[in-house]
Amino acid sequence: MIAKIVKPGSKTRGVLNYLYDTKRAKDHTDPHLVASWDGFAPDPGRDPDATLAQLTTVLDLRVKQAGDRAPKTHVWHCSVRAAPEDRALSDAEWATVARRVVNATGIAPAGDPDACRWVAVRHADDHIHIVATKVRGDLTPLRNWNDYLRADKELARVEKEYGLRQVPRGDRTAAQRPTRAEQEKARRTGHTTTTREHLRTTVRTAVSAATSTEEFFRLLTGAGVLVDIQYFPSGDIRGYKAALEGDTNKSGEPVWFSGSTLAPDLSYPKIAERLAATSALPRGPSDRQHTAWQQIIEAAGHLPDLLAQTDDATSQAHITVLAETLDVLPLTATADLRASLAQAATAFERASRSRIHARHRQAQATRRAVKAILREPAPRDGALFAILLDTLLLAVIAAQHWHHNHHHDQQAEAAQQTAGHLRAAYQAAARQPLAVIHQRGRRLALPQQQRQAEIIRQALPDLAEQILAEPTWPALAAALSDTKTAGHNPATLLARAARRRELHTAGSLSEVLTWRLHHVANLHPQPVTTPTPASARATAPTGQHRRTR
């Protein structure tokens, strides 16, 4: 069950008009009371003699009596919704849920004679609305801090007791959801996402691509985003707000969003912290010996071990960089992969943060490589991109386990969804290069194929017969042959590759192990030597997200 508590209002009648409306709100059927503060409130939905005016009057009685002492925004409104797969609760069950919520939130503590007046309205099978007026019986204003958290904890207990789906709980690090008004505006203008969501994606991508705060703001402007930078008297940047070109309010003014309202980690201080040390780090030996693409593959390959061995702050830093990697991938991919990769990046956004403060300097070398792939030529051979996606998939699964172990329910679920999108992208990316490797394996002489089969039986005795029965196993045979040519021990590398992959999640063991051998044996193809113009690469990150209004 999910509770949603809206901003306090000043018009009780307006809320009731909405809850009992069946004409404009098509999903409102049979609106009626299931519970109230005393069990005798008039019900305009079921009692032909009751009116909305009467119900408003009794709810507002203490507000009128309190006069100037009553808060201007005296209407408390909370909706409680069951999961789609939950059974339909009876009115009596919903009444119990309502009473538990108003008790937990302090609206109407059990046994309190001065509790606030409230009603619970049901106009659909899967949810109720609780409306209360925030003046107590002694005519003092209600003080109910942290009402959402207390309601959420109570609903978690309700889920267990009623046998309902246990919804992943958050830790107050999730990005703010679009408001109903924003969603309706997006529908009216023919867009699939709201301005808030569009700006969030654009700003996240700009942060992942930029090497400095100056470049960050330049990329936003180049992507069709209006940027208003606020300064301290000293001249230092205090913050920023962003608006989409063409998105205006009724007065024709831009609709601005501060970075922190887009997502907690998109405030200016958080962005500056991530970018501060990126350009200051000296280039290490691995930077000079490998391309940025190879550095990212290596970093992602080590992530499962890092998450298992490092402290939480360092682990959170590496998960943040993993998110940045996913943010920029759609800009480097071919057209057929962009949709799945964009969905993966959007899903992992929720998994990129927690209450643990990231120690960003521990992951700056990888962050620098992420930014570098936008300024280096993309791989000529699709095999390297397939290896990267396979390695990132393993990293995302490791992040899912890390969040699960830390009881970050929403983040773990987001990582699980990300893995599904990455699998779709990987399958599309791997199809052609795998076919080439597969044909090479089929051309191996029979004695060679038999030798490779024996290596598989030696290294993976429990999985060998399953692998050899797969139609893609000749690709693995070719990879084993390549490792031998490169001077490695194929059996040792194959066992190592199997240990570094959760094979129970793989659709094809031989396919996954083929790419894993390419990774651990460093059999990466070389990228194109003709560089892409720097100016084009620099404007790529956010430009592709631009939309017209």
Side-chain angles (χ1 to χ4, degrees):
M1 283 187 166
I2 296 176
K4 181 179 180 181
I5 300 175
V6 301
K7 186 178 180 179
S10 59
K11 295 181 179 180
T12 307
R13 177 62 182 269
V15 177
L16 295 177
N17 283 342
Y18 165 72
L19 297 183
Y20 279 91
D21 175 49
T22 58
K23 295 180 180 179
R24 287 176 297 179
K26 302 300 183 183
D27 60 335
H28 292 191
T29 59
D30 186 26
H32 60 281
L33 292 185
V34 294
S36 65
W37 76 95
D38 62 356
F40 297 103
D43 183 5
R46 292 286 177 86
D47 184 353
D49 295 326
T51 65
L52 286 173
Q54 292 173 337
L55 181 57
T56 302
T57 298
V58 295
L59 279 171
D60 278 345
L61 176 62
R62 291 172 177 169
V63 177
K64 300 297 184 184
Q65 292 173 338
D68 293 339
R69 290 181 294 169
K72 292 182 179 179
T73 52
H74 63 269
V75 182
W76 186 83
H77 179 193
C78 171
S79 62
V80 181
R81 185 178 298 273
E85 62 269 30
D86 285 340
R87 62 180 176 85
L89 273 63
S90 67
D91 280 358
E93 289 175 314
W94 275 121
T96 300
V97 171
R99 293 188 187 97
R100 293 178 65 163
V101 169
V102 295
N103 174 65
T105 56
I107 296 294
D112 184 353
D114 288 327
C116 295
R117 295 192 167 198
W118 61 274
V119 295
V121 179
R122 182 181 189 181
H123 56 208
D125 285 342
D126 63 347
H127 70 281
I128 59 171
H129 292 259
I130 305 172
V131 180
T133 46
K134 297 173 62 176
V135 176
R136 291 174 46 79
D138 57 6
L139 303 186
T140 59
L142 171 71
R143 299 185 182 278
N144 61 323
W145 306 112
N146 292 324
D147 51 356
Y148 172 77
L149 289 179
R150 289 186 287 182
D152 193 54
K153 289 181 179 179
E154 185 63 27
L155 292 177
R157 289 189 282 267
V158 169
E159 290 168 351
K160 293 181 180 179
E161 294 174 21
Y162 282 45
L164 306 176
R165 180 196 172 195
Q166 296 183 30
V167 177
R169 256 56 207 187
D171 56 3
R172 307 187 78 178
T173 62
Q176 183 176 333
R177 295 179 180 178
T179 65
R180 180 184 293 272
E182 292 169 358
Q183 294 171 339
E184 291 177 350
K185 184 176 182 180
R187 284 193 291 268
R188 287 197 310 270
T189 54
H191 293 102
T192 57
T193 59
T194 64
T195 298
R196 182 191 300 272
E197 293 167 316
H198 180 76
L199 283 173
R200 182 184 302 139
T201 298
T202 304
V203 172
R204 283 183 61 85
T205 308
V207 175
S208 300
T211 57
S212 65
T213 54
E214 293 78 11
E215 185 180 14
F216 164 69
F217 289 126
R218 180 175 63 80
L219 289 174
L220 285 183
T221 302
V225 175
L226 304 176
V227 180
D228 181 12
I229 305 175
Q230 294 92 43
Y231 296 90
F232 289 111
S234 63
D236 295 329
I237 296 177
R238 177 170 60 88
Y240 75 100
K241 56 183 179 179
L244 201 60
E245 285 183 359
D247 182 45
T248 58
N249 56 23
K250 293 181 180 179
S251 302
E253 300 171 337
V255 179
W256 294 101
F257 295 85
S258 66
S260 59
T261 61
L262 296 177
D265 57 344
L266 295 183
S267 66
Y268 178 76
K270 295 290 182 65
I271 290 173
E273 181 184 4
R274 287 159 64 182
L275 295 178
T278 304
S279 58
L281 283 178
R283 287 175 59 85
S286 62
D287 293 357
R288 294 186 289 268
Q289 296 171 3
H290 299 92
T291 68
W293 293 90
Q294 292 168 334
Q295 291 174 49
I296 292 175
I297 291 173
E298 288 301 315
H302 291 308
L303 187 60
D305 292 334
L306 282 171
L307 295 183
Q309 299 170 6
T310 59
D311 61 273
D312 287 347
T314 300
S315 295
Q316 179 61 62
H318 284 286
I319 289 177
T320 302
V321 175
L322 176 59
E324 294 177 11
T325 306
L326 296 175
D327 283 337
V328 302
L329 274 189
L331 307 173
T332 67
T334 55
D336 60 319
L337 301 180
R338 287 174 193 154
S340 295
L341 291 176
Q343 289 173 323
T346 299
F348 201 74
E349 185 270 340
R350 181 65 193 98
S352 64
R353 327 176 269 281
S354 69
R355 303 290 290 182
I356 298 170
H357 184 76
R359 189 175 292 117
H360 289 298
R361 287 186 176 273
Q362 299 298 318
Q364 286 295 354
T366 307
R367 175 172 283 119
R368 187 174 54 218
V370 171
K371 300 175 189 304
I373 65 173
L374 296 172
R375 296 160 177 84
E376 285 190 6
R380 172 171 38 186
D381 193 323
L384 185 60
F385 204 80
I387 294 169
L388 173 60
L389 294 183
D390 174 75
T391 309
L392 288 174
L393 177 57
L394 177 61
V396 166
I397 293 173
Q400 176 189 346
H401 293 329
W402 186 83
H403 280 308
H404 178 75
N405 292 336
H406 285 73
H407 305 289
H408 301 160
D409 295 341
Q410 290 185 351
Q411 291 90 331
E413 185 175 80
Q416 183 179 25
Q417 294 171 354
T418 304
H421 296 306
L422 274 181
R423 284 191 186 94
Y426 160 75
Q427 289 167 359
R431 190 173 297 116
Q432 183 176 359
L434 187 67
V436 174
I437 301 173
H438 182 267
Q439 289 301 318
R440 288 180 47 232
R442 289 177 62 88
R443 288 195 296 267
L444 291 175
L446 183 59
Q448 287 181 291
Q449 292 185 21
Q450 292 173 339
R451 282 197 297 272
Q452 309 311 333
E454 286 305 315
I455 290 173
I456 294 172
R457 292 188 178 96
Q458 174 189 346
L460 306 173
D462 296 335
L463 300 174
E465 298 311 315
Q466 180 181 346
I467 293 171
L468 294 173
E470 293 178 349
T472 53
W473 100 266
L476 179 57
L480 288 169
S481 178
D482 291 342
T483 61
K484 178 70 173 179
T485 303
H488 299 285
N489 183 316
T492 301
L493 282 188
L494 183 58
R496 178 182 168 192
R499 287 195 301 270
R500 297 191 62 183
R501 181 63 158 87
E502 293 189 357
L503 294 178
H504 69 275
T505 67
S508 169
L509 299 181
S510 55
E511 182 178 332
V512 166
L513 291 172
T514 295
W515 297 127
R516 189 59 53 190
L517 282 177
H518 277 77
H519 178 201
V520 298
N522 197 28
L523 303 176
H524 304 325
Q526 294 299 313
V528 178
T529 55
T530 304
T532 304
S535 59
R537 303 292 287 180
T539 57
T542 53
Q544 80 161 26
H545 294 294
R546 184 172 182 174
R547 65 179 182 180
T548 57
R549 283 188 168 268

